[in-house]
Amino acid sequence: MINREGRIKARFESLAEKKLAGLITFITAGDPDQKSSEDILMGLPHAGADLIEIGMPFTDPMADGPAIQLSSKRALASGQNMDKTLKMVEKFRKQDADTPIILMGYYNPIYSYGAERFSVSAANVGVDGLIIVDLPPEEEEELVQPAIKAGIDFVRLTTPTSDKKRLLKLVKTASGFIYHISITGITGTQSAETLDIRNAVGKIREQSNLPIAVGFGIRTPAQAAEIASIADAAVVGSAIVEKIADGIGSPDCVNNVLQYVSEMANGVHTARMN
Amino acid sequence: MNVEKPNSYKNFPDTAGHFGIYGGRYVAETLMPLIIDVEKAYTLARTDKLFLDELDYFLRHYVGRPSPLYFAERLTASIGGAKIYFKRDELNHTGAHKINNTIGQILLAKRMGKKRIIAETGAGQHGVAAATVCARFGLPCVIYMGETDIERQAPNVFRMKLLGAKVVPVQSGSGTLKDAMNEALRDWVSNVDDTFYIIGTVAGPHPYPAMVRDFQAVIGREVREQMERAEGRLPDTLVACIGGGSNAIGLFYEFLDMEDVNIYAVEAAGKGLKTGQHAASLSAGRPGVLHGNRTYLLQDDNGQIEEAYSISAGLDYPGIGPEHAWLRDNGRVKYVSATDKEALDAFQFCSELEGIIPALEPAHALAYVRRIAPNLSSDHLLVMNMCGRGDKDVFSVANALGVTI
């Protein structure tokens, strides 16, 4: 069983020691096919990803924009399911013992698998955290309890609609880190104003000591650097997934994606030195 | 799944929006403050005399309520058995029960100061009902509709446009109602400040299942009074078709605690429950979480949502309202099904015998009535909800019958 104070905490602490912000990358498991998806995953730490979010594909990703909708569709078409996603993490752990893996998605595939069975299996293969988009604090208990018991952090999403009272409720049961969604919208669409992000991060810091990651709409190394100067980590999702889509069928697909990730990592990792 | 019977079926959902294990609020965090606002506003409105008087005014003078309770004499004689009444909600303005709900929600949206309305639609009946009230109250309206549905429901698309609504085609997924609902939720997440989402059925996150039910419950309240006047007693059996379940719960709710009243809801069995091509989530699905609530869903072994199928676009949804999921488990309502073919037969039967062209949705209910009525005595009072008229379906029916028009 994994220690409660696990890889996520260790990674953020080591970043803080180096006075660096982290890069969190998102890919959908099985997109565009199992082999390419695995190759990308294996290459992410070397390309500069500090934490990795892996999307568990779902037929009805209601909070996602077109890029991630299509990635889920490709993954499901390639035969991806929960067992395969967990196997992918297991394989990754054999090569990398330190980079935190966070599974992200919607509740139904987990509910269907069984919340308790899922928590145990996920912990056993080396999953460190969960982000479940459609499981607000009001409905979280049936998954959070077995997840925490298994040693998996439950990462909470905060948004521009979270007022002070709501934030308090959100951070109360959060663990690992806080993921601030910087816009009111779906993934991969618009980007937020820096000032708004700065204010939001400040308000979260008043209520929680957990590291804060900021995501939604981050596409360029410059944008990533800006986030890195405000928050503890920048999350890049749709932009990576679009690079995957662009490269389908090309022998350079995996390399191009990893090249892009290393550019983004460079942006994040040099941000606080300027 | 079996659950205990409650003391009253009418004390649900609980304050968190749960009907037993069903219902709830499974939405993205961005939307939580919004649905909590809707809940607060609705909780105040539902006991506010001003709101209720205004609702009553519009139901009477704009929608045309009460709708008649009509004794279908020739149909009764032809089937032989139970005395069959139709609750004629197809005579409402816009031709279906859907407007009972949209009029309620638009009054709430106005009260909340919202400036823009969004809605999803499958067959287009809810879209038309939403566009209608938006025109009446002068609010801009965006309707999300799957591409597949846009093709098969062209007359309703044109009606919505005439009413000033913007109809946005949804290409994601299979381009049907569930995808339209995803897209409406995406719109809402992106327009949190000024937008009110008018959901068309008793599904979605709390408070929608309870709120839509309350707005539709006028159907059953009228039936109770009308039957009292016509026959001096309560009905014995109620039958309604069920897609998301709003017309059904609208008829049933008044009678849930009257255990002598038999209640049947008829799902769309499409080409047959065993073919995999149907929309019978309660007969052939299992519990899951989608579109903000836990309920019975058509899904594969991995929890991926499956496409529903029915000749009737209004029943073509892989989920069902959470209150129905709960009423199924506790046994208060019997959930049954009728196939495309049975519905088509009933559609023609009703048109020829009663001069009423039913929508394909209530044609499913009628198909089941034809199955049970012959075994019931002639003093058995059966009420079927004629929840929509069939004008919108003449093209699909002609097509199914191989007729060119």
Side-chain angles (χ1 to χ4, degrees):
Chain A
M1 196 69 43
I2 288 144
N3 188 321
R4 272 295 292 120
E5 314 271 293
R7 294 185 195 95
I8 293 178
K9 186 160 188 263
R11 179 53 52 100
F12 275 108
E13 278 173 1
S14 107
L15 284 164
E17 269 168 35
K18 290 182 253 175
K19 300 205 176 343
L20 289 180
L23 172 67
I24 305 181
T25 57
F26 172 93
I27 57 168
T28 299
D31 170 36
D33 56 74
Q34 225 171 314
K35 170 82 173 60
S36 314
S37 185
E38 253 178 48
D39 289 348
I40 294 168
L41 175 64
M42 299 301 172
L44 282 173
H46 182 71
D50 298 295
L51 294 89
I52 298 170
E53 287 176 17
I54 301 179
M56 300 170 280
F58 182 47
T59 39
D60 294 77
M62 63 176 182
D64 283 300
I68 294 180
Q69 288 174 39
L70 289 172
S71 79
S72 293
K73 212 170 170 174
R74 288 191 297 268
L76 291 171
S78 82
Q80 193 67 23
N81 60 29
M82 193 65 84
D83 280 323
K84 289 181 183 172
T85 301
L86 293 173
K87 282 222 171 72
M88 197 170 150
V89 179
E90 190 171 31
K91 210 162 162 186
F92 176 83
R93 271 286 161 257
K94 285 183 185 146
Q95 156 198 310
D96 185 316
D98 304 317
T99 306
I101 295 278
I102 296 111
L103 291 184
M104 181 164 187
Y106 296 81
Y107 186 46
N108 200 53
I110 295 177
Y111 179 57
S112 175
Y113 196 90
E116 208 158 325
R117 179 178 160 230
F118 168 80
S119 301
V120 172
S121 309
N124 284 342
V125 298
V127 169
D128 303 290
L130 291 178
I131 302 174
I132 309 302
V133 178
D134 54 355
L135 215 54
E138 282 78 358
E139 308 289 349
E140 70 179 7
E141 207 178 298
E142 67 185 60
L143 178 60
V144 168
Q145 287 195 351
I148 297 291
K149 198 175 146 209
I152 298 178
D153 285 324
F154 206 83
V155 176
R156 276 266 154 242
L157 301 165
T158 61
T159 81
T161 62
S162 315
D163 61 14
K164 196 169 178 186
K165 196 172 145 213
R166 186 76 193 161
L167 264 185
L168 197 64
K169 193 176 177 85
L170 291 168
V171 302
K172 209 167 91 185
T173 54
S175 48
F177 61 96
I178 306 272
Y179 183 158
H180 180 67
I181 296 175
S182 58
I183 57 154
T184 53
I186 50 179
T187 51
T189 50
Q190 74 278 38
S191 312
E193 297 294 329
T194 310
L195 184 64
D196 292 341
I197 299 175
R198 201 178 289 281
N199 286 337
V201 168
K203 282 180 188 148
I204 301 166
R205 288 223 197 276
E206 284 170 20
Q207 306 215 16
S208 172
N209 295 322
L210 290 173
I212 300 168
V214 172
F216 278 44
I218 305 172
R219 306 186 156 268
T220 65
Q223 281 175 322
E226 207 169 306
I227 298 294
S229 71
I230 304 169
D232 302 303
V235 188
V236 182
S238 296
I240 295 175
V241 164
E242 278 167 21
K243 291 277 179 236
I244 296 175
D246 290 347
I248 291 173
S250 149
D252 299 327
C253 177
V254 173
N255 285 337
N256 288 345
V257 171
L258 295 175
Q259 173 61 33
Y260 172 73
V261 169
S262 63
E263 285 161 23
M264 295 299 278
N266 197 39
V268 169
H269 294 149
T270 51
R272 292 182 183 178
M273 295 168 186
N274 297 334
Chain B
M1 218 169 279
N2 281 304
V3 294
E4 250 178 76
K5 282 189 180 179
N7 293 328
S8 168
Y9 292 96
K10 296 172 80 171
N11 295 336
F12 291 82
D14 65 18
T15 53
H18 293 115
F19 301 88
I21 66 163
Y22 302 106
R25 286 174 282 202
Y26 295 85
V27 296
E29 180 53 39
T30 311
L31 289 181
M32 276 306 294
L34 280 76
I35 64 169
I36 290 171
D37 280 351
V38 173
E39 184 198 347
K40 280 184 189 151
Y42 177 61
T43 305
L44 290 177
R46 63 183 303 217
T47 54
D48 180 344
K49 188 165 181 309
L50 273 176
F51 179 82
L52 296 173
D53 284 350
E54 198 181 10
L55 177 61
D56 192 57
Y57 174 87
F58 282 100
L59 286 177
R60 185 172 295 273
H61 299 285
Y62 191 67
V63 174
R65 301 209 75 89
S67 69
L69 180 69
Y70 163 74
F71 172 43
E73 194 177 352
R74 288 194 4 109
L75 196 118
T76 297
S78 166
I79 293 175
K83 198 168 177 185
I84 298 163
Y85 282 85
F86 290 162
K87 177 59 174 168
R88 306 255 343 244
D89 255 48
E90 102 278 13
L91 294 177
N92 292 340
H93 181 39
T94 73
H97 69 290
K98 291 290 185 189
I99 199 164
N100 301 332
N101 167 46
T102 58
I103 203 87
Q105 287 199 49
I106 196 115
L107 291 175
L108 187 67
K110 258 188 25 164
R111 231 175 118 97
M112 293 177 73
K114 298 295 180 183
K115 303 277 183 251
R116 174 177 176 268
I117 300 295
I118 56 170
E120 83 295 338
T121 197
Q125 290 305 104
H126 172 59
V128 167
T132 297
V133 297
C134 286
R136 171 60 185 78
F137 290 93
L139 290 177
C141 179
V142 178
I143 306 282
Y144 289 93
M145 188 168 184
E147 265 192 337
T148 313
D149 286 337
I150 285 184
E151 266 169 46
R152 56 182 178 175
Q153 300 291 337
N156 272 344
V157 175
F158 186 59
R159 286 167 83 191
M160 287 183 265
K161 288 180 179 166
L162 282 175
L163 293 161
K166 185 179 166 204
V167 180
V168 180
V170 177
Q171 296 161 351
S172 60
S174 61
T176 58
L177 179 56
K178 106 180 152 71
D179 309 297
M181 200 153 178
N182 288 330
E183 214 52 41
L185 286 164
R186 287 175 191 129
D187 179 309
W188 207 18
V189 168
S190 311
N191 296 283
V192 296
D193 293 326
D194 62 347
T195 298
F196 189 97
Y197 180 13
I198 297 188
I199 294 183
T201 191
V202 286
H206 178 63
Y208 283 96
M211 177 166 71
V212 176
R213 173 198 69 198
D214 293 349
F215 289 141
Q216 292 294 357
V218 64
I219 299 172
R221 283 199 303 273
E222 287 176 7
V223 165
R224 188 175 174 185
E225 274 181 38
Q226 290 166 325
M227 189 58 96
E228 186 64 43
R229 272 201 303 277
E231 300 276 356
R233 66 184 183 89
L234 293 172
D236 299 301
T237 293
L238 307 174
V239 182
C241 64
I242 185 164
S246 69
N247 95 81
I249 205 75
L251 173 64
F252 302 163
Y253 190 66
E254 177 72 13
F255 301 96
L256 285 179
D257 283 338
M258 303 168 190
E259 298 269 5
D260 292 339
V261 180
N262 303 302
I263 308 181
Y264 297 93
V266 188
E267 294 192 291
K271 295 180 177 167
L273 291 183
K274 283 178 187 148
T275 63
Q277 293 195 61
H278 58 75
S281 1
L282 288 171
S283 307
R286 63 190 168 91
V289 172
L290 180 70
H291 293 152
N293 61 131
R294 187 187 334 242
T295 188
Y296 278 76
L297 299 173
L298 299 178
Q299 54 185 320
D300 69 12
D301 293 342
N302 294 306
Q304 304 295 345
I305 308 305
E306 289 182 322
E307 297 301 335
Y309 162 82
S310 167
I311 188 170
S312 145
L315 302 179
D316 189 352
Y317 178 67
I320 187 96
E323 189 163 9
H324 288 290
W326 175 72
L327 291 168
R328 173 201 184 277
D329 283 4
N330 63 36
R332 177 61 188 102
V333 175
K334 299 279 175 293
Y335 292 86
V336 295
S337 64
T339 62
D340 283 1
K341 187 178 174 306
E342 291 171 304
L344 273 171
D345 288 349
F347 180 95
Q348 296 168 83
F349 181 69
C350 186
S351 303
E352 285 164 15
L353 274 178
E354 290 292 347
I356 297 172
I357 302 178
L360 278 171
E361 291 81 8
H364 283 75
L366 185 57
Y368 190 72
V369 168
R370 290 176 81 185
R371 231 186 285 163
I372 60 170
N375 304 321
L376 300 168
S377 66
S378 59
D379 60 355
H380 189 101
L381 305 178
L382 186 153
V383 178
M384 188 205 96
N385 199 8
M386 184 59 78
C387 60
R389 58 177 171 243
D391 308 41
K392 69 179 175 65
D393 292 317
V394 292
F395 295 99
S396 356
V397 171
N399 192 31
L401 298 176
V403 178
T404 313
I405 49 176

